[in-house]
């Protein structure tokens, strides 16, 4: 029985296309995961910078700063407000503030 060359080629073409598609999907998933990891690292770094600045203020001045603006004006803290929202909750000047950083992309 004679099998036409075209008929033998189709399964290989379909398998090749499926493999290329699978590689592209895996690449997209890896890129998305990498982006999430970088965002999480940026959030953690900003939270640490705010906490570190607040501790420095406490050591130098004897009180935790009353606001983020105080840290920005007096301790050089810089916050990218286009990308992040920072919640700075101070209860008393002798108790460390609660700091929470959220990405604006999650909103």
């Amino acid at each position: 029985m004679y099998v036409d060359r075209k008929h033998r080629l189709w399964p290989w073409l379909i398998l090749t296309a499926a493999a290329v598609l699978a590689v592209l999907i895996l690449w997209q998933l890896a890129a998305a995961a990498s982006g999430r990891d970088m965002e999480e690292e940026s959030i953690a770094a900003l939270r640490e910078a705010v906490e570190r600045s607040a501790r420095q203020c406490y050591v130098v001045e004897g009180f935790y700063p009353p606001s983020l603006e105080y840290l920005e004006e007096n301790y050089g803290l810089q916050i990218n407000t286009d990308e992040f929202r920072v919640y700075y909750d101070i209860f008393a000047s002798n108790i460390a503030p609660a700091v929470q950083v959220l990405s604006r992309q999650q909103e």
Side-chain angles (χ1 to χ4, degrees), residues 26-47:
L26 289 174
W27 180 74
Q28 284 292 101
L29 291 173
S34 175
R36 282 191 303 271
D37 290 345
M38 287 177 52
E39 182 179 55
E40 290 172 8
E41 288 177 16
S42 296
I43 287 171
L46 179 55
R47 185 179 59 248

Side-chain angles (χ1 to χ4, degrees), residues 1-2 5 13-14 24 26 28-29 31-33 51 58 60 80 89 98 102 105:
M1 174 185 244
Y2 174 73
R5 261 187 114 125
L13 289 174
I14 292 171
L24 289 174
L26 289 174
Q28 284 292 101
L29 291 173
E51 291 172 350
Y58 185 78
V60 171
N80 184 346
D89 188 25
L102 299 176
Q105 293 176 358

Side-chain angles (χ1 to χ4, degrees), residues 39-55 68 71 77-79 84-88 97-102:
E39 182 179 55
E40 290 172 8
E41 288 177 16
S42 296
I43 287 171
L46 179 55
R47 185 179 59 248
E48 177 59 32
V50 172
E51 291 172 350
R52 187 178 335 109
S53 295
R55 283 191 306 269
L68 284 173
L71 288 174
L77 180 66
Q78 295 180 356
I79 298 172
F84 301 104
R85 181 180 300 257
V86 179
Y87 295 97
Y88 183 86
V99 178
Q100 183 180 14
V101 178
L102 299 176

